[in-house]
Amino acid sequence: MTGGKTRAVAFGMGIATLLLSGCDELQRREVGPDGAPLETYTAQQIFERGEYEMSRKDYEDGAFYFGEIERLYPYSEWAKRALIMQAYAFHKDKDYENARASAQRFIDFYPADDDAAYAQYLLALSYYDQIELVGRDQGLTFQALQALRAVIERYPDSEYARSSVLKFDLAFDHLAGKEMEIGRYYLKRDHFGAAISRFRVVVEDFQTTTHTPEALHRLVESYLSLGLVEEAQTAGAVLGYNYQSTDWYEDSYALLTKQGLEPKVFEGNWLGAVYRQMLKGEWL
């Protein structure tokens, strides 16, 4: 018993010494100045070592120590705390795959815990933070949307719901940006049919994003190039109804009037259906 107390005191003194002196990193499977194995320390002591590693931005070692608590004290309250901290440490280390795994384990083991919302948010971030350039594979974006939606729907009153809504909108906008990028690629090469299919996706499936005005303008361009004037006029009318103050509408209006046309709705095409939806208040 006395030896245990002595070792606990030594551990505390060792942490203080490390903080003050900034000495070299100890081997992973040792804590404290005496180099004793982790099994000889309490869950709290190992947790504090994990926090120390996090404070010095050594997130990999922080995740290691938090994981050791789960291994050595699997049914303790410290194990639960360590698991969410391990997910956070992996995320800070940009080890997104392991961050997701730890966060998912927390959700599976402690679905009713107060930190379950944060675990789901970390899981979503592990996808979202990998979304960078529009040109990247969009699989991660879809997964981020699904995980963010889970935060919003399962934990609507949590502090993470609002941030998830904002990130969901940005990720959704990101997908629309990918469709626009491909559509512009086809348009520049005069592949008008392929371009139209991409711009149509934006108008029908991503109509609340920032890319919709440009998509409608590109449809005017594409349809005029194919000689489909009624479709071009209808696209211009949809654009004018929603985004009359934008430069995109001005450009479309100029293209139409140059050919003696004007924005006008014609029934019998998919854009006419979109226009009717707007009049019924179903646009947003």
Side-chain angles (χ1 to χ4, degrees), residues 96-122:
Y96 297 117
E97 184 175 350
N98 279 320
R100 285 193 291 273
S102 296
Q104 188 62 60
R105 281 207 314 280
F106 189 94
I107 295 167
D108 293 341
F109 294 162
Y110 313 106
D113 191 83
D114 290 342
D115 283 330
Y118 182 56
Q120 181 64 52
Y121 184 64
L122 277 175

Side-chain angles (χ1 to χ4, degrees), residues 59-196:
Y59 304 121
E60 183 178 355
D61 272 7
F64 168 79
Y65 287 114
F66 293 131
E68 287 297 280
I69 296 172
E70 188 180 8
R71 180 178 70 87
L72 296 171
Y73 303 94
Y75 304 110
S76 67
E77 183 67 21
W78 287 103
K80 181 173 70 173
R81 293 176 60 183
L83 183 53
I84 192 68
M85 285 299 296
Q86 185 186 49
Y88 173 68
F90 278 133
H91 184 264
K92 292 291 288 183
D93 198 39
K94 298 185 179 181
D95 185 348
Y96 297 117
E97 184 175 350
N98 279 320
R100 285 193 291 273
S102 296
Q104 188 62 60
R105 281 207 314 280
F106 189 94
I107 295 167
D108 293 341
F109 294 162
Y110 313 106
D113 191 83
D114 290 342
D115 283 330
Y118 182 56
Q120 181 64 52
Y121 184 64
L122 277 175
L123 194 154
L125 286 182
S126 71
Y127 290 117
Y128 181 84
D129 287 350
Q130 294 183 81
I131 302 172
E132 296 174 359
L133 301 176
V134 170
R136 288 192 58 169
D137 173 45
Q138 298 305 294
L140 287 171
T141 308
F142 280 110
Q143 291 171 305
L145 286 169
Q146 292 175 339
L148 289 166
R149 184 185 292 277
V151 178
I152 297 165
E153 293 179 349
R154 296 177 191 173
Y155 311 101
D157 299 323
S158 71
E159 61 184 296
Y160 311 107
R162 178 176 174 80
S163 177
S164 294
V165 169
L166 295 175
K167 287 180 169 56
F168 185 94
D169 289 343
L170 289 171
F172 199 62
D173 199 82
H174 185 86
L175 285 178
K178 179 63 175 180
E179 295 295 329
M180 290 300 300
E181 179 189 46
I182 298 172
R184 291 190 210 101
Y185 174 87
Y186 287 133
L187 184 60
K188 288 179 180 179
R189 288 156 179 78
D190 296 336
H191 301 317
F192 301 115
I196 287 170

